[in-house]
Amino acid sequence: MKHPSLPNRRGYFGSFGGRFVPETLMTPLLELAKAYDQARRDPAFQKELRGYLRTYVGRPTPLMFAQRLSQKLGRGRIYLKREDLCHTGAHKINNALAQTLLAKHLGKTRVIAETGAGQHGVATATAAALLGLPCDVYMGVEDIERQSPNVFRMERLGARVIPVKTGTRTLKDAINEAMRDWVTNVQSTFYVIGSIVGPHPYPQMVRDFQSIIGREARKQILEAEGRLPNVLTACVGGGSNSIGLFHPFYKDRSVKMIGVEPAGRGLNTGQHAASLAKGRRGILHGAFSYLLQDKHGQVMETHSISAGLDYPGVGPEHSFYKDSGRATYVSADDKMALEGFDLLCKTEGILPALEPAHAIGYLKVLARTLKPKDIVILCLSGRGDKDMPILTKVFSS
């Protein structure tokens, strides 16, 4: 089978992706695409980035055999790719640091970002402090309340957190406001997008920066087990940690890929954020992909116990993987995520973030399909410190 170039020169993954933006953004996006293409071929830029990833982020992150979790599930050998051990506590720093470094090379004097769970905001504020750039972060007031520890961290790192009070007051609306800012200040400002969403080249650029997760995991599992895994799994909101794990295995057809979407209070309640399970094709934030829409084509409100997954769309590469059959997408509701959180705490002594807790919660279902020697790699994309206000409230009630 011939594998397509992902994306093609126009920024499409099959029929998904592209650039659907105001005319004022076309020139800066074309310039960014050209600059990124040069940077990824520039040995000096890549050497500088690798240096920061090694000495500042703490890469490579370990691939850990979760022995007690595997015994508890009864089937399969479960490995955890420990992105929670990155500096700042999540995989988001891989991409935020790389984009901020690119901004500095382009001569930009300010970076902006949006954030839901706060991890991308913290990562961008951290990178901006390291590289000496002012940083503004847009965040919905709903998420500011849910993720107050990360708001404190961003402010201490020198960033300005700008509350967004429109719409659902969550990630979707924070992206809207960040894009408005970028349109107004595009000459001086670099927009650090946190997931594989947005117009081309962002889905490709973020995917490439996060693919270090899968490249390391591939090398590490070959060293540990002498063979490739049977299954890769990770949570999917916008989809950056999962595509970072999946993409380097794209051509390994024997490796199954399973993305776990947030089913919130249930797929049939209308209170979820499962864009691939319940969405239709459409345009959101400059790209053509699956998204949750009502019968009039308006973007629907979403719900997830995890602020980082509370988004009505998904990256275009995941939409392509779904329609081509290369990956399978399932869902886990809030209850399963909490069960997954508890399961990892009590078997391995690790407090996961609520985002990967969805994938951990799904492991009980997945285990029924596994053979004893099957190998599963789960991307543990972040640690749960940031979710303590939510978890304290939920478990105390």
Side-chain angles (χ1 to χ4, degrees), residues 177-225:
E177 292 303 317
M179 281 196 161
R180 289 190 186 99
D181 184 322
W182 194 37
V183 170
T184 306
N185 302 291
V186 72
Q187 293 302 319
S188 64
T189 299
F190 189 104
Y191 180 15
V192 182
I193 290 185
S195 194
I196 54 164
V197 300
H200 181 66
Y202 280 104
Q204 176 190 6
M205 189 164 61
V206 179
R207 187 271 316 274
D208 290 351
F209 290 144
Q210 293 293 5
S211 288
I212 194 168
I213 300 171
R215 292 198 303 274
E216 287 180 2
R218 199 175 199 285
K219 180 181 178 184
Q220 290 166 325
I221 199 65
L222 287 172
E223 291 173 352
E225 296 277 358

mmCIF file of all heavy atoms in Angstrom, residues 177-225:
data_model
loop_
_atom_site.group_PDB
_atom_site.id
_atom_site.type_symbol
_atom_site.label_atom_id
_atom_site.label_comp_id
_atom_site.label_asym_id
_atom_site.label_seq_id
_atom_site.Cartn_x
_atom_site.Cartn_y
_atom_site.Cartn_z
ATOM 1 N N GLU A 177 -10.653 34.202 20.814
ATOM 2 C CA GLU A 177 -10.074 35.480 21.248
ATOM 3 C C GLU A 177 -8.594 35.581 20.885
ATOM 4 O O GLU A 177 -8.111 36.649 20.495
ATOM 5 C CB GLU A 177 -10.260 35.650 22.760
ATOM 6 C CG GLU A 177 -11.703 35.839 23.183
ATOM 7 C CD GLU A 177 -12.363 37.034 22.497
ATOM 8 O OE1 GLU A 177 -11.731 38.100 22.398
ATOM 9 O OE2 GLU A 177 -13.513 36.878 22.041
ATOM 10 N N ALA A 178 -7.881 34.464 20.997
ATOM 11 C CA ALA A 178 -6.459 34.480 20.626
ATOM 12 C C ALA A 178 -6.302 34.771 19.137
ATOM 13 O O ALA A 178 -5.403 35.516 18.731
ATOM 14 C CB ALA A 178 -5.812 33.143 20.990
ATOM 15 N N MET A 179 -7.189 34.211 18.313
ATOM 16 C CA MET A 179 -7.112 34.464 16.871
ATOM 17 C C MET A 179 -7.415 35.928 16.548
ATOM 18 O O MET A 179 -6.787 36.520 15.662
ATOM 19 C CB MET A 179 -8.068 33.537 16.126
ATOM 20 C CG MET A 179 -7.509 32.123 15.972
ATOM 21 S SD MET A 179 -8.379 31.158 14.746
ATOM 22 C CE MET A 179 -7.165 29.850 14.415
ATOM 23 N N ARG A 180 -8.369 36.532 17.264
ATOM 24 C CA ARG A 180 -8.663 37.957 17.056
ATOM 25 C C ARG A 180 -7.442 38.802 17.393
ATOM 26 O O ARG A 180 -7.115 39.758 16.693
ATOM 27 C CB ARG A 180 -9.863 38.375 17.920
ATOM 28 C CG ARG A 180 -11.186 37.813 17.435
ATOM 29 C CD ARG A 180 -12.364 38.450 18.163
ATOM 30 N NE ARG A 180 -13.614 37.794 17.795
ATOM 31 C CZ ARG A 180 -14.235 36.865 18.505
ATOM 32 N NH1 ARG A 180 -13.739 36.506 19.672
ATOM 33 N NH2 ARG A 180 -15.349 36.306 18.067
ATOM 34 N N ASP A 181 -6.782 38.483 18.497
ATOM 35 C CA ASP A 181 -5.565 39.190 18.891
ATOM 36 C C ASP A 181 -4.510 39.052 17.803
ATOM 37 O O ASP A 181 -3.869 40.045 17.404
ATOM 38 C CB ASP A 181 -5.059 38.600 20.221
ATOM 39 C CG ASP A 181 -3.835 39.342 20.760
ATOM 40 O OD1 ASP A 181 -2.968 39.737 19.963
ATOM 41 O OD2 ASP A 181 -3.727 39.492 22.002
ATOM 42 N N TRP A 182 -4.338 37.823 17.286
ATOM 43 C CA TRP A 182 -3.307 37.565 16.282
ATOM 44 C C TRP A 182 -3.574 38.362 14.996
ATOM 45 O O TRP A 182 -2.666 38.938 14.416
ATOM 46 C CB TRP A 182 -3.236 36.075 15.990
ATOM 47 C CG TRP A 182 -2.011 35.673 15.232
ATOM 48 C CD1 TRP A 182 -0.756 36.195 15.372
ATOM 49 C CD2 TRP A 182 -1.922 34.678 14.217
ATOM 50 N NE1 TRP A 182 0.117 35.566 14.510
ATOM 51 C CE2 TRP A 182 -0.568 34.640 13.790
ATOM 52 C CE3 TRP A 182 -2.841 33.805 13.641
ATOM 53 C CZ2 TRP A 182 -0.125 33.764 12.805
ATOM 54 C CZ3 TRP A 182 -2.396 32.926 12.664
ATOM 55 C CH2 TRP A 182 -1.063 32.913 12.247
ATOM 56 N N VAL A 183 -4.831 38.411 14.575
ATOM 57 C CA VAL A 183 -5.182 39.179 13.374
ATOM 58 C C VAL A 183 -4.790 40.641 13.548
ATOM 59 O O VAL A 183 -4.258 41.289 12.628
ATOM 60 C CB VAL A 183 -6.695 39.073 13.088
ATOM 61 C CG1 VAL A 183 -7.110 40.060 12.003
ATOM 62 C CG2 VAL A 183 -7.064 37.658 12.658
ATOM 63 N N THR A 184 -4.993 41.177 14.752
ATOM 64 C CA THR A 184 -4.726 42.591 15.013
ATOM 65 C C THR A 184 -3.231 42.894 15.127
ATOM 66 O O THR A 184 -2.780 43.974 14.736
ATOM 67 C CB THR A 184 -5.427 43.011 16.329
ATOM 68 O OG1 THR A 184 -6.807 42.669 16.240
ATOM 69 C CG2 THR A 184 -5.299 44.505 16.561
ATOM 70 N N ASN A 185 -2.459 41.929 15.660
ATOM 71 C CA ASN A 185 -1.053 42.205 16.000
ATOM 72 C C ASN A 185 -0.077 41.264 15.296
ATOM 73 O O ASN A 185 0.979 40.933 15.834
ATOM 74 C CB ASN A 185 -0.871 42.074 17.520
ATOM 75 C CG ASN A 185 -1.781 43.006 18.295
ATOM 76 O OD1 ASN A 185 -1.590 44.217 18.266
ATOM 77 N ND2 ASN A 185 -2.774 42.440 18.971
ATOM 78 N N VAL A 186 -0.433 40.863 14.089
ATOM 79 C CA VAL A 186 0.313 39.787 13.443
ATOM 80 C C VAL A 186 1.766 40.152 13.129
ATOM 81 O O VAL A 186 2.627 39.270 13.060
ATOM 82 C CB VAL A 186 -0.449 39.340 12.173
ATOM 83 C CG1 VAL A 186 -0.356 40.406 11.076
ATOM 84 C CG2 VAL A 186 0.030 37.992 11.689
ATOM 85 N N GLN A 187 2.064 41.431 12.974
ATOM 86 C CA GLN A 187 3.443 41.809 12.640
ATOM 87 C C GLN A 187 4.413 41.542 13.793
ATOM 88 O O GLN A 187 5.570 41.175 13.562
ATOM 89 C CB GLN A 187 3.496 43.300 12.264
ATOM 90 C CG GLN A 187 2.755 43.635 10.974
ATOM 91 C CD GLN A 187 3.284 42.852 9.768
ATOM 92 O OE1 GLN A 187 4.498 42.679 9.629
ATOM 93 N NE2 GLN A 187 2.391 42.386 8.910
ATOM 94 N N SER A 188 3.941 41.724 15.028
ATOM 95 C CA SER A 188 4.842 41.584 16.175
ATOM 96 C C SER A 188 4.636 40.288 16.950
ATOM 97 O O SER A 188 5.496 39.897 17.751
ATOM 98 C CB SER A 188 4.616 42.751 17.152
ATOM 99 O OG SER A 188 3.284 42.693 17.678
ATOM 100 N N THR A 189 3.511 39.619 16.712
ATOM 101 C CA THR A 189 3.072 38.551 17.613
ATOM 102 C C THR A 189 3.087 37.182 16.947
ATOM 103 O O THR A 189 2.671 37.043 15.795
ATOM 104 C CB THR A 189 1.648 38.863 18.112
ATOM 105 O OG1 THR A 189 1.681 40.105 18.827
ATOM 106 C CG2 THR A 189 1.125 37.773 19.030
ATOM 107 N N PHE A 190 3.536 36.172 17.692
ATOM 108 C CA PHE A 190 3.498 34.776 17.247
ATOM 109 C C PHE A 190 2.443 34.069 18.074
ATOM 110 O O PHE A 190 2.468 34.103 19.303
ATOM 111 C CB PHE A 190 4.863 34.117 17.457
ATOM 112 C CG PHE A 190 4.984 32.745 16.840
ATOM 113 C CD1 PHE A 190 5.690 32.565 15.660
ATOM 114 C CD2 PHE A 190 4.402 31.633 17.438
ATOM 115 C CE1 PHE A 190 5.812 31.303 15.082
ATOM 116 C CE2 PHE A 190 4.513 30.372 16.869
ATOM 117 C CZ PHE A 190 5.216 30.204 15.687
ATOM 118 N N TYR A 191 1.502 33.392 17.400
ATOM 119 C CA TYR A 191 0.450 32.644 18.091
ATOM 120 C C TYR A 191 0.914 31.206 18.277
ATOM 121 O O TYR A 191 1.047 30.455 17.314
ATOM 122 C CB TYR A 191 -0.840 32.704 17.281
ATOM 123 C CG TYR A 191 -2.025 31.955 17.878
ATOM 124 C CD1 TYR A 191 -2.027 31.522 19.206
ATOM 125 C CD2 TYR A 191 -3.159 31.696 17.129
ATOM 126 C CE1 TYR A 191 -3.099 30.851 19.753
ATOM 127 C CE2 TYR A 191 -4.244 31.021 17.661
ATOM 128 C CZ TYR A 191 -4.203 30.596 18.973
ATOM 129 O OH TYR A 191 -5.265 29.902 19.510
ATOM 130 N N VAL A 192 1.142 30.805 19.528
ATOM 131 C CA VAL A 192 1.569 29.441 19.864
ATOM 132 C C VAL A 192 0.317 28.598 20.088
ATOM 133 O O VAL A 192 -0.287 28.640 21.163
ATOM 134 C CB VAL A 192 2.459 29.435 21.125
ATOM 135 C CG1 VAL A 192 2.924 28.010 21.431
ATOM 136 C CG2 VAL A 192 3.654 30.360 20.958
ATOM 137 N N ILE A 193 -0.101 27.851 19.068
ATOM 138 C CA ILE A 193 -1.289 26.998 19.203
ATOM 139 C C ILE A 193 -0.895 25.714 19.914
ATOM 140 O O ILE A 193 0.156 25.137 19.655
ATOM 141 C CB ILE A 193 -1.909 26.711 17.819
ATOM 142 C CG1 ILE A 193 -2.545 27.998 17.268
ATOM 143 C CG2 ILE A 193 -2.952 25.604 17.905
ATOM 144 C CD1 ILE A 193 -3.296 27.819 15.960
ATOM 145 N N GLY A 194 -1.778 25.254 20.811
ATOM 146 C CA GLY A 194 -1.415 24.160 21.709
ATOM 147 C C GLY A 194 -1.765 22.776 21.246
ATOM 148 O O GLY A 194 -1.362 21.796 21.872
ATOM 149 N N SER A 195 -2.562 22.661 20.176
ATOM 150 C CA SER A 195 -2.912 21.316 19.728
ATOM 151 C C SER A 195 -2.808 21.246 18.213
ATOM 152 O O SER A 195 -2.470 22.238 17.553
ATOM 153 C CB SER A 195 -4.320 20.941 20.202
ATOM 154 O OG SER A 195 -4.517 19.542 20.041
ATOM 155 N N ILE A 196 -3.141 20.084 17.647
ATOM 156 C CA ILE A 196 -2.990 19.897 16.199
ATOM 157 C C ILE A 196 -4.217 20.412 15.464
ATOM 158 O O ILE A 196 -4.748 19.744 14.566
ATOM 159 C CB ILE A 196 -2.730 18.417 15.870
ATOM 160 C CG1 ILE A 196 -3.815 17.519 16.483
ATOM 161 C CG2 ILE A 196 -1.353 18.005 16.332
ATOM 162 C CD1 ILE A 196 -3.857 16.143 15.897
ATOM 163 N N VAL A 197 -4.668 21.580 15.849
ATOM 164 C CA VAL A 197 -5.839 22.211 15.242
ATOM 165 C C VAL A 197 -5.401 23.521 14.583
ATOM 166 O O VAL A 197 -4.235 23.884 14.623
ATOM 167 C CB VAL A 197 -6.941 22.462 16.298
ATOM 168 C CG1 VAL A 197 -7.376 21.147 16.933
ATOM 169 C CG2 VAL A 197 -6.443 23.422 17.379
ATOM 170 N N GLY A 198 -6.369 24.218 13.966
ATOM 171 C CA GLY A 198 -6.053 25.488 13.326
ATOM 172 C C GLY A 198 -5.660 25.302 11.874
ATOM 173 O O GLY A 198 -5.603 24.182 11.349
ATOM 174 N N PRO A 199 -5.384 26.420 11.186
ATOM 175 C CA PRO A 199 -5.045 26.366 9.759
ATOM 176 C C PRO A 199 -3.627 25.844 9.537
ATOM 177 O O PRO A 199 -2.773 25.955 10.406
ATOM 178 C CB PRO A 199 -5.169 27.837 9.331
ATOM 179 C CG PRO A 199 -4.869 28.616 10.583
ATOM 180 C CD PRO A 199 -5.443 27.806 11.714
ATOM 181 N N HIS A 200 -3.389 25.303 8.345
ATOM 182 C CA HIS A 200 -2.048 24.873 7.959
ATOM 183 C C HIS A 200 -1.079 26.060 8.046
ATOM 184 O O HIS A 200 -1.438 27.147 7.631
ATOM 185 C CB HIS A 200 -2.092 24.344 6.518
ATOM 186 C CG HIS A 200 -0.775 23.854 6.008
ATOM 187 N ND1 HIS A 200 -0.134 22.758 6.530
ATOM 188 C CD2 HIS A 200 0.046 24.340 5.031
ATOM 189 C CE1 HIS A 200 1.011 22.572 5.896
ATOM 190 N NE2 HIS A 200 1.146 23.517 4.980
ATOM 191 N N PRO A 201 0.118 25.944 8.642
ATOM 192 C CA PRO A 201 0.827 24.689 8.932
ATOM 193 C C PRO A 201 0.713 24.188 10.363
ATOM 194 O O PRO A 201 1.462 23.281 10.746
ATOM 195 C CB PRO A 201 2.280 25.079 8.641
ATOM 196 C CG PRO A 201 2.367 26.489 9.161
ATOM 197 C CD PRO A 201 1.034 27.112 8.787
ATOM 198 N N TYR A 202 -0.205 24.773 11.191
ATOM 199 C CA TYR A 202 -0.215 24.393 12.608
ATOM 200 C C TYR A 202 -0.411 22.896 12.858
ATOM 201 O O TYR A 202 0.322 22.301 13.656
ATOM 202 C CB TYR A 202 -1.245 25.221 13.376
ATOM 203 C CG TYR A 202 -0.734 26.603 13.735
ATOM 204 C CD1 TYR A 202 -1.142 27.724 13.038
ATOM 205 C CD2 TYR A 202 0.172 26.777 14.770
ATOM 206 C CE1 TYR A 202 -0.665 28.985 13.353
ATOM 207 C CE2 TYR A 202 0.646 28.041 15.112
ATOM 208 C CZ TYR A 202 0.226 29.138 14.403
ATOM 209 O OH TYR A 202 0.705 30.383 14.722
ATOM 210 N N PRO A 203 -1.403 22.225 12.231
ATOM 211 C CA PRO A 203 -1.560 20.789 12.530
ATOM 212 C C PRO A 203 -0.304 19.970 12.223
ATOM 213 O O PRO A 203 0.034 19.042 12.962
ATOM 214 C CB PRO A 203 -2.738 20.376 11.640
ATOM 215 C CG PRO A 203 -3.525 21.626 11.464
ATOM 216 C CD PRO A 203 -2.497 22.714 11.366
ATOM 217 N N GLN A 204 0.385 20.311 11.144
ATOM 218 C CA GLN A 204 1.624 19.601 10.811
ATOM 219 C C GLN A 204 2.735 19.972 11.788
ATOM 220 O O GLN A 204 3.462 19.104 12.294
ATOM 221 C CB GLN A 204 2.076 19.945 9.389
ATOM 222 C CG GLN A 204 3.410 19.300 9.042
ATOM 223 C CD GLN A 204 4.005 19.808 7.737
ATOM 224 O OE1 GLN A 204 3.476 20.746 7.123
ATOM 225 N NE2 GLN A 204 5.079 19.198 7.303
ATOM 226 N N MET A 205 2.861 21.257 12.079
ATOM 227 C CA MET A 205 3.952 21.737 12.929
ATOM 228 C C MET A 205 3.846 21.152 14.338
ATOM 229 O O MET A 205 4.832 20.629 14.883
ATOM 230 C CB MET A 205 3.912 23.269 12.975
ATOM 231 C CG MET A 205 5.097 23.900 13.645
ATOM 232 S SD MET A 205 5.214 25.680 13.271
ATOM 233 C CE MET A 205 3.667 26.298 13.945
ATOM 234 N N VAL A 206 2.643 21.216 14.926
ATOM 235 C CA VAL A 206 2.466 20.682 16.279
ATOM 236 C C VAL A 206 2.673 19.167 16.263
ATOM 237 O O VAL A 206 3.307 18.598 17.172
ATOM 238 C CB VAL A 206 1.075 21.047 16.832
ATOM 239 C CG1 VAL A 206 0.884 20.460 18.231
ATOM 240 C CG2 VAL A 206 0.894 22.563 16.867
ATOM 241 N N ARG A 207 2.152 18.485 15.235
ATOM 242 C CA ARG A 207 2.355 17.029 15.102
ATOM 243 C C ARG A 207 3.845 16.695 15.077
ATOM 244 O O ARG A 207 4.299 15.800 15.779
ATOM 245 C CB ARG A 207 1.661 16.571 13.818
ATOM 246 C CG ARG A 207 1.600 15.074 13.562
ATOM 247 C CD ARG A 207 2.786 14.487 12.808
ATOM 248 N NE ARG A 207 3.297 15.187 11.667
ATOM 249 C CZ ARG A 207 2.843 15.069 10.405
ATOM 250 N NH1 ARG A 207 1.804 14.315 10.126
ATOM 251 N NH2 ARG A 207 3.451 15.729 9.417
ATOM 252 N N ASP A 208 4.597 17.426 14.272
ATOM 253 C CA ASP A 208 6.031 17.144 14.157
ATOM 254 C C ASP A 208 6.746 17.364 15.494
ATOM 255 O O ASP A 208 7.600 16.568 15.887
ATOM 256 C CB ASP A 208 6.664 18.033 13.093
ATOM 257 C CG ASP A 208 6.222 17.658 11.692
ATOM 258 O OD1 ASP A 208 5.566 16.604 11.518
ATOM 259 O OD2 ASP A 208 6.524 18.428 10.756
ATOM 260 N N PHE A 209 6.407 18.456 16.186
ATOM 261 C CA PHE A 209 7.065 18.729 17.466
ATOM 262 C C PHE A 209 6.684 17.695 18.531
ATOM 263 O O PHE A 209 7.478 17.388 19.418
ATOM 264 C CB PHE A 209 6.729 20.140 17.958
ATOM 265 C CG PHE A 209 7.367 21.236 17.146
ATOM 266 C CD1 PHE A 209 6.689 22.432 16.908
ATOM 267 C CD2 PHE A 209 8.633 21.093 16.618
ATOM 268 C CE1 PHE A 209 7.281 23.446 16.163
ATOM 269 C CE2 PHE A 209 9.234 22.100 15.863
ATOM 270 C CZ PHE A 209 8.547 23.287 15.636
ATOM 271 N N GLN A 210 5.458 17.149 18.461
ATOM 272 C CA GLN A 210 5.038 16.146 19.450
ATOM 273 C C GLN A 210 5.418 14.722 19.055
ATOM 274 O O GLN A 210 5.333 13.816 19.893
ATOM 275 C CB GLN A 210 3.519 16.229 19.681
ATOM 276 C CG GLN A 210 3.042 17.504 20.362
ATOM 277 C CD GLN A 210 3.509 17.646 21.804
ATOM 278 O OE1 GLN A 210 4.296 16.831 22.314
ATOM 279 N NE2 GLN A 210 3.040 18.685 22.481
ATOM 280 N N SER A 211 5.853 14.521 17.810
ATOM 281 C CA SER A 211 6.185 13.157 17.372
ATOM 282 C C SER A 211 7.392 12.586 18.098
ATOM 283 O O SER A 211 7.675 11.385 17.995
ATOM 284 C CB SER A 211 6.441 13.140 15.863
ATOM 285 O OG SER A 211 5.234 13.297 15.159
ATOM 286 N N ILE A 212 8.085 13.414 18.837
ATOM 287 C CA ILE A 212 9.195 12.903 19.648
ATOM 288 C C ILE A 212 8.687 11.866 20.653
ATOM 289 O O ILE A 212 9.419 10.945 21.030
ATOM 290 C CB ILE A 212 9.934 14.061 20.368
ATOM 291 C CG1 ILE A 212 11.263 13.557 20.922
ATOM 292 C CG2 ILE A 212 9.059 14.707 21.452
ATOM 293 C CD1 ILE A 212 12.179 14.652 21.392
ATOM 294 N N ILE A 213 7.416 11.967 21.041
ATOM 295 C CA ILE A 213 6.827 10.986 21.970
ATOM 296 C C ILE A 213 6.856 9.596 21.331
ATOM 297 O O ILE A 213 7.334 8.615 21.919
ATOM 298 C CB ILE A 213 5.375 11.373 22.322
ATOM 299 C CG1 ILE A 213 5.320 12.752 22.985
ATOM 300 C CG2 ILE A 213 4.746 10.312 23.220
ATOM 301 C CD1 ILE A 213 3.896 13.287 23.161
ATOM 302 N N GLY A 214 6.354 9.486 20.106
ATOM 303 C CA GLY A 214 6.299 8.192 19.440
ATOM 304 C C GLY A 214 7.669 7.681 19.012
ATOM 305 O O GLY A 214 7.932 6.478 19.065
ATOM 306 N N ARG A 215 8.542 8.605 18.595
ATOM 307 C CA ARG A 215 9.878 8.159 18.164
ATOM 308 C C ARG A 215 10.627 7.548 19.343
ATOM 309 O O ARG A 215 11.275 6.507 19.208
ATOM 310 C CB ARG A 215 10.662 9.336 17.576
ATOM 311 C CG ARG A 215 10.112 9.854 16.252
ATOM 312 C CD ARG A 215 11.152 10.690 15.506
ATOM 313 N NE ARG A 215 11.638 11.820 16.277
ATOM 314 C CZ ARG A 215 11.046 13.023 16.315
ATOM 315 N NH1 ARG A 215 9.932 13.231 15.621
ATOM 316 N NH2 ARG A 215 11.556 14.003 17.018
ATOM 317 N N GLU A 216 10.554 8.211 20.496
ATOM 318 C CA GLU A 216 11.209 7.650 21.684
ATOM 319 C C GLU A 216 10.564 6.332 22.088
ATOM 320 O O GLU A 216 11.256 5.359 22.420
ATOM 321 C CB GLU A 216 11.108 8.638 22.848
ATOM 322 C CG GLU A 216 12.010 9.850 22.728
ATOM 323 C CD GLU A 216 11.886 10.799 23.911
ATOM 324 O OE1 GLU A 216 11.116 10.481 24.851
ATOM 325 O OE2 GLU A 216 12.531 11.850 23.885
ATOM 326 N N ALA A 217 9.234 6.274 22.089
ATOM 327 C CA ALA A 217 8.528 5.063 22.519
ATOM 328 C C ALA A 217 8.887 3.888 21.612
ATOM 329 O O ALA A 217 9.055 2.743 22.080
ATOM 330 C CB ALA A 217 7.018 5.302 22.505
ATOM 331 N N ARG A 218 9.001 4.142 20.315
ATOM 332 C CA ARG A 218 9.332 3.086 19.353
ATOM 333 C C ARG A 218 10.704 2.484 19.681
ATOM 334 O O ARG A 218 10.866 1.261 19.745
ATOM 335 C CB ARG A 218 9.336 3.686 17.950
ATOM 336 C CG ARG A 218 9.225 2.703 16.834
ATOM 337 C CD ARG A 218 9.113 3.471 15.508
ATOM 338 N NE ARG A 218 8.567 2.627 14.474
ATOM 339 C CZ ARG A 218 9.238 1.674 13.864
ATOM 340 N NH1 ARG A 218 10.487 1.450 14.181
ATOM 341 N NH2 ARG A 218 8.647 0.928 12.931
ATOM 342 N N LYS A 219 11.686 3.368 19.898
ATOM 343 C CA LYS A 219 13.036 2.901 20.222
ATOM 344 C C LYS A 219 13.045 2.173 21.568
ATOM 345 O O LYS A 219 13.672 1.115 21.713
ATOM 346 C CB LYS A 219 13.983 4.109 20.262
ATOM 347 C CG LYS A 219 15.419 3.764 20.583
ATOM 348 C CD LYS A 219 16.285 5.033 20.622
ATOM 349 C CE LYS A 219 17.728 4.682 20.998
ATOM 350 N NZ LYS A 219 18.557 5.911 21.136
ATOM 351 N N GLN A 220 12.322 2.712 22.545
ATOM 352 C CA GLN A 220 12.357 2.149 23.892
ATOM 353 C C GLN A 220 11.677 0.788 23.974
ATOM 354 O O GLN A 220 12.152 -0.102 24.679
ATOM 355 C CB GLN A 220 11.704 3.136 24.869
ATOM 356 C CG GLN A 220 12.534 4.397 25.088
ATOM 357 C CD GLN A 220 11.758 5.523 25.774
ATOM 358 O OE1 GLN A 220 10.556 5.686 25.552
ATOM 359 N NE2 GLN A 220 12.441 6.298 26.597
ATOM 360 N N ILE A 221 10.572 0.599 23.245
ATOM 361 C CA ILE A 221 9.886 -0.691 23.332
ATOM 362 C C ILE A 221 10.684 -1.772 22.599
ATOM 363 O O ILE A 221 10.672 -2.942 23.006
ATOM 364 C CB ILE A 221 8.432 -0.601 22.792
ATOM 365 C CG1 ILE A 221 7.593 -1.776 23.316
ATOM 366 C CG2 ILE A 221 8.396 -0.560 21.272
ATOM 367 C CD1 ILE A 221 7.365 -1.804 24.776
ATOM 368 N N LEU A 222 11.384 -1.390 21.535
ATOM 369 C CA LEU A 222 12.252 -2.356 20.842
ATOM 370 C C LEU A 222 13.393 -2.792 21.757
ATOM 371 O O LEU A 222 13.784 -3.964 21.772
ATOM 372 C CB LEU A 222 12.784 -1.754 19.542
ATOM 373 C CG LEU A 222 11.757 -1.621 18.413
ATOM 374 C CD1 LEU A 222 12.340 -0.835 17.235
ATOM 375 C CD2 LEU A 222 11.277 -3.000 17.934
ATOM 376 N N GLU A 223 13.908 -1.861 22.555
ATOM 377 C CA GLU A 223 14.966 -2.208 23.501
ATOM 378 C C GLU A 223 14.422 -3.086 24.637
ATOM 379 O O GLU A 223 15.084 -4.025 25.078
ATOM 380 C CB GLU A 223 15.582 -0.933 24.087
ATOM 381 C CG GLU A 223 16.400 -0.114 23.093
ATOM 382 C CD GLU A 223 16.858 1.223 23.626
ATOM 383 O OE1 GLU A 223 16.415 1.608 24.741
ATOM 384 O OE2 GLU A 223 17.641 1.899 22.939
ATOM 385 N N ALA A 224 13.209 -2.797 25.093
ATOM 386 C CA ALA A 224 12.648 -3.507 26.247
ATOM 387 C C ALA A 224 12.082 -4.876 25.884
ATOM 388 O O ALA A 224 12.231 -5.835 26.651
ATOM 389 C CB ALA A 224 11.559 -2.650 26.897
ATOM 390 N N GLU A 225 11.398 -4.960 24.731
ATOM 391 C CA GLU A 225 10.680 -6.194 24.394
ATOM 392 C C GLU A 225 11.168 -6.852 23.107
ATOM 393 O O GLU A 225 10.757 -7.961 22.783
ATOM 394 C CB GLU A 225 9.172 -5.884 24.252
ATOM 395 C CG GLU A 225 8.501 -5.419 25.546
ATOM 396 C CD GLU A 225 8.094 -6.598 26.431
ATOM 397 O OE1 GLU A 225 8.291 -7.760 26.021
ATOM 398 O OE2 GLU A 225 7.588 -6.348 27.545
#
